[in-house]
Amino acid sequence: MAENKKKNTAQICAELALPVAEELGVELWDVRFEKEGTEWFLRFFIDKEGLTIEDCENFSHAMDPILDEADPIDKHYCLEVSSPGIERKLITEEHVRRYLGYLATVRFIRAPEGYNQREFLLQLNDIKDGVITAEFEDGTLITFPKSDTAYIKLYYDFDSDGE
């Protein structure tokens, strides 16, 4: 018998937000429902070339009545809409594929076999069927399932002057 897996709050809200994102010409990058201290936050991360604060405001205003009507959250929460940022988390396989050739901070759930640390700066070289091939600065390759990572975030050298 097939198990019917219940969707979590973030997944339900993402489904509600996808048509809004499409209508407003933005990409829905991620949705998180998180507790910080005693407060709950529903966070939508949207993206597009040249994303502005007005894009975030428009998305927020469009989502308000949809969330009110669907009422997917049974507690008080704060709604936030923002960009995923320059050091964005790469959540899906498509996100990783989009940034092949870029440097990323990869944090593993457990240190990979043969290593005594969990976090590395790697160049993303390939992803296929959830398995990532990446490269250390010295050219050594490492291959690992994306599911073994706590997160993958784009790396940006803030100390660089852009040259």
Side-chain angles (χ1 to χ4, degrees):
M1 178 183 281
E3 187 178 320
N4 189 2
K5 189 173 181 183
K6 188 176 180 205
K7 294 176 186 164
N8 67 34
T9 301
Q11 291 168 325
I12 292 166
C13 292
E15 287 179 2
L16 293 170
L18 277 171
V20 173
E22 187 173 302
E23 181 179 318
L24 296 176
V26 297
E27 177 184 2
L28 184 62
W29 188 268
D30 192 18
V31 179
R32 298 181 199 150
F33 186 59
E34 305 171 307
K35 188 173 185 180
E36 290 182 8
T38 59
E39 302 291 319
W40 283 92
F41 294 87
L42 176 59
R43 293 184 169 123
F44 290 96
F45 296 89
I46 61 172
D47 196 31
K48 77 171 191 179
E49 186 71 33
L51 186 73
T52 66
I53 189 72
E54 287 79 19
D55 293 315
C56 295
E57 288 173 357
N58 292 339
F59 187 88
S60 178
H61 292 312
M63 284 305 300
D64 272 335
I66 292 168
L67 291 168
D68 286 346
E69 183 176 325
D71 199 21
I73 302 171
D74 63 356
K75 53 184 69 90
H76 178 74
Y77 65 93
C78 296
L79 174 63
E80 293 181 354
V81 179
S82 69
S83 160
I86 198 164
E87 291 190 309
R88 62 191 57 203
K89 286 186 178 180
L90 305 181
I91 297 147
T92 67
E93 190 165 321
E94 178 53 39
H95 290 165
V96 174
R97 188 171 293 108
R98 188 179 307 176
Y99 289 99
L100 293 178
Y102 285 75
L103 289 175
T105 302
V106 179
R107 182 169 184 85
F108 290 89
I109 296 166
R110 285 173 290 292
E113 191 172 328
Y115 296 91
N116 60 2
Q117 66 187 57
R118 294 175 35 211
E119 190 169 292
F120 302 90
L121 183 60
L122 301 169
Q123 178 180 300
L124 303 172
N125 288 355
D126 194 20
I127 184 165
K128 185 174 183 181
D129 299 325
V131 177
I132 297 171
T133 302
E135 187 174 331
F136 290 95
E137 190 175 8
D138 69 3
T140 304
L141 295 178
I142 183 172
T143 301
F144 53 91
K146 185 178 180 314
S147 60
D148 285 356
T149 65
Y151 61 76
I152 301 171
K153 293 191 316 187
L154 279 184
Y155 174 78
Y156 181 80
D157 184 356
F158 288 97
D159 295 328
S160 170
D161 60 6
E163 292 181 12

